[in-house]
């Protein structure tokens, strides 16, 4: 909601490619993003954010949160080597047209960080097991 008017703009590029908007109430989401608000914006809630008793929202944040999908719900489509940051992992995901999300972190406690690409939204990436330190992002998220 901007100046008490609902605004919706459609783009043919990923949300991460949209320039920063003048109004803080204009927020970009990728089409596949599972955390897009479903509440109609109001003056009191100009971004249409979900409200309720859940501390992390009804769908959770899929832009830098721990994966929460069911065990074995999705396998990585690729595990690129020599990736040393979440930003580099995002670049690998963006280069693969079938990649919708990626995770970056360690598979074992104190292990070397890895990058894994997925063909499903971040909300469907399996939750980490004990000792894993993984963070998941939808491909359009800022890193």
């Amino acid at each position: 909601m901007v100046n008490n008017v609902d605004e919706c703009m459609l783009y043919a590029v990923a949300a991460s490619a949209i320039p920063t908007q003048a109004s803080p109430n204009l927020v970009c989401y990728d089409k596949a993003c599972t955390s897009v608000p479903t509440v109609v914006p109001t003056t009191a809630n100009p971004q249409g954010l979900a409200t309720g008793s859940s501390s992390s929202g009804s769908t959770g944040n899929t832009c830098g949160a721990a994966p929460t999908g069911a065990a074995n719900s999705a396998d990585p489509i690729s595990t690129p080597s020599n990736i040393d940051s979440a930003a580099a992992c995002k670049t690998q995901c963006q280069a693969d047209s079938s990649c919708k999300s990626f995770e970056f972190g360690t598979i074992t406690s104190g292990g070397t960080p890895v990058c894994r690409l997925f063909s499903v939204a971040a909300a469907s990436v399996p939750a980490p097991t004990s000792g894993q330190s993984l963070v998941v992002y939808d491909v359009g998220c800022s890193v």
Side-chain angles (χ1 to χ4, degrees):
M1 178 169 279
V2 179
N3 297 325
N4 293 323
V5 177
D6 289 341
E7 293 284 333
C8 178
M9 294 173 247
L10 305 177
Y11 293 88
V13 298
S16 61
I18 306 298
T20 301
Q21 302 296 307
S23 171
N25 295 330
L26 291 174
V27 181
C28 297
Y29 297 92
D30 280 310
K31 187 176 182 177
C33 190
T34 59
S35 61
V36 175
T38 58
V39 176
V40 175
T42 64
T43 302
N45 185 6
Q47 292 182 358
L49 300 176
T51 58
S53 60
S54 173
S55 62
S56 61
S58 60
T59 58
N61 181 0
T62 55
C63 292
T68 58
N72 301 320
S73 60
D75 290 324
I77 55 173
S78 176
T79 304
S81 59
N82 300 321
I83 304 297
D84 61 359
S85 68
C89 189
K90 176 182 176 177
T91 299
Q92 291 293 311
C93 185
Q94 290 175 319
D96 183 335
S97 62
S98 64
C99 184
K100 293 184 181 171
S101 64
F102 61 95
E103 67 181 359
F104 184 78
T106 58
I107 301 296
T108 59
S109 182
T112 303
V114 297
C115 169
R116 299 196 302 188
L117 311 181
F118 292 85
S119 63
V120 297
S124 297
V125 173
T129 59
S130 180
Q132 292 183 338
S133 176
L134 297 166
V135 179
V136 69
Y137 302 84
D138 281 307
V139 68
C141 291
S142 297
V143 178

